[in-house]
């Protein structure tokens, strides 16, 4: 049975698009069954419709609590037979009802090399701090803010005259590579969470010195 994916998005949805494109090209054996947005005007909704994927806005204010909101999301995904949930620019902390329904089956992409610069505006934090290298991280989601086990990371240089925009652009290009890659590894049953570590099973090269993406994309 092909893996079914549920997506949560709040904004432009370029990472959702990257995963959808990788599925369409045959690189990932999976299908996206449903996209839910907490923002009515999210461009991700439009992208989903254009790709023929069911998508709708769900207003958090219509629910008695945050837990109730995430409980409903879990039910919607379960009804579709979802086996993996992707946060794609979803601007809320995921609550327990969804995490309990999908244990180590919720992934997120963060625009910094975690555990550095968690939270909002990872790119701006990196540019402002003066680090020489930043990047992006795909991780499984736990109850903390960007604290779950790391799956893949990609590094990019940061120059002294970089702005939030220029760093964001460089990082985004890597995001669109590593998020589909993490989904592919999951779809192939190759990710195993062992404490804080994600073990990648099968033929996967270990990080070489100077590798930009770790593990390197096959
Ligand atoms: C990305 O930078 C992602 O890392 C962060 O939010 C942004 C979402 O962009 N979590 P998009 O909606 O996928 O284009």
């Amino acid at each position: 049975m092909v893996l079914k994916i549920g997506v949560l998005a709040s904004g432009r949805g370029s990472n959702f698009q990257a995963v959808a494109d990788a599925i369409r090209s045959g690189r990932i054996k999976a299908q996206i069954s449903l996209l839910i947005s907490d923002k009515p005007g999210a461009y991700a909704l439009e992208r989903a419709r254009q790709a023929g994927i069911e998508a709708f806005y769900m207003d958090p204010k219509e629910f008695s609590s945050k837990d109730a909101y995430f409980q409903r999301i879990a039910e919607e995904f379960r009804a579709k037979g979802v086996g993996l949930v992707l946060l794609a620019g979803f601007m809320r902390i995921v609550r327990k009802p969804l995490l309990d329904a999908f244990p180590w089956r919720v992934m997120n992409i963060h625009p910094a090399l975690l555990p550095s610069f968690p939270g909002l505006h990872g790119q701006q934090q990196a540019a402002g701090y003066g680090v020489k290298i930043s990047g992006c991280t795909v991780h499984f989601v736990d109850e903390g803010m960007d604290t779950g086990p790391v799956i893949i990371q990609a590094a990019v240089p940061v120059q002294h005259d970089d702005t939030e925009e220029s760093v964001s652009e460089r990082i985004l290009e890597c995001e669109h590579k590593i998020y589909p890659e993490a989904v592919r590894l999951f779809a192939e049953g190759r990710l195993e969470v062992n404490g804080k570590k994600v073990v990648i099973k099968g033929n996967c090269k270990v990080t070489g010195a100077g590798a930009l993406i770790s593990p390197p994309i096959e």
Side-chain angles (χ1 to χ4, degrees):
M1 253 249 300
V2 73
L3 173 70
K4 292 184 177 155
I5 296 174
V7 178
L8 290 173
S10 305
R12 83 194 146 178
S14 69
N15 279 289
F16 152 69
Q17 188 77 60
V19 174
D21 290 349
I23 290 173
R24 207 181 39 219
S25 76
R27 183 156 169 78
I28 306 173
K29 306 274 177 288
Q31 76 180 57
I32 300 176
S33 301
L34 177 61
L35 180 145
I36 299 175
S37 177
D38 62 337
K39 296 273 186 299
Y43 186 56
L45 286 166
E46 179 58 28
R47 288 182 193 265
R49 286 177 194 133
Q50 282 175 16
I53 292 167
E54 185 182 343
F56 54 80
Y57 160 58
M58 201 187 272
D59 185 355
K61 290 199 249 12
E62 283 178 10
F63 292 80
S64 56
S65 66
K66 289 177 180 161
D67 278 2
Y69 185 64
F70 282 97
Q71 179 63 44
R72 172 66 71 79
I73 290 173
E75 285 160 13
E76 295 285 352
F77 284 156
R78 267 200 175 133
K80 294 275 177 206
V82 162
L84 174 67
V85 176
L86 299 182
L87 309 186
F90 184 63
M91 303 304 283
R92 286 173 192 274
I93 304 276
V94 172
R95 308 282 292 208
K96 218 168 162 342
L98 183 64
L99 296 176
D100 287 351
F102 294 94
W104 297 138
R105 279 169 174 70
V106 182
M107 271 186 202
N108 181 43
I109 179 127
H110 180 76
L113 289 176
L114 292 172
S116 291
F117 311 129
L120 290 176
H121 310 300
Q123 308 95 325
Q124 186 186 37
Q125 292 185 58
Y129 193 95
V131 292
K132 306 299 186 198
I133 294 172
S134 191
C136 47
T137 304
V138 181
H139 63 94
F140 283 116
V141 176
D142 63 11
E143 282 182 74
M145 161 94 84
D146 302 320
T147 51
V150 169
I151 302 167
I152 302 188
Q153 296 186 298
V156 302
V158 181
Q159 270 115 33
H160 69 90
D161 54 355
D162 265 318
T163 60
E164 179 183 3
E165 289 70 36
S166 60
V167 176
S168 299
E169 203 179 309
R170 207 170 298 138
I171 291 175
L172 192 64
E173 205 178 303
C174 286
E175 293 185 36
H176 295 164
K177 291 184 185 147
I178 68 169
Y179 212 4
E181 184 64 4
V183 174
R184 182 180 71 84
L185 292 169
F186 183 94
E188 293 173 4
R190 294 172 58 193
L191 300 180
E192 193 177 278
V193 180
N194 192 346
K196 272 298 285 176
K197 292 187 183 171
V198 176
V199 179
I200 299 173
K201 296 186 285 183
N203 184 20
C204 200
K205 292 165 259 175
V206 291
T207 318
L212 193 62
I213 294 176
S214 175
I217 290 177
E218 290 159 23

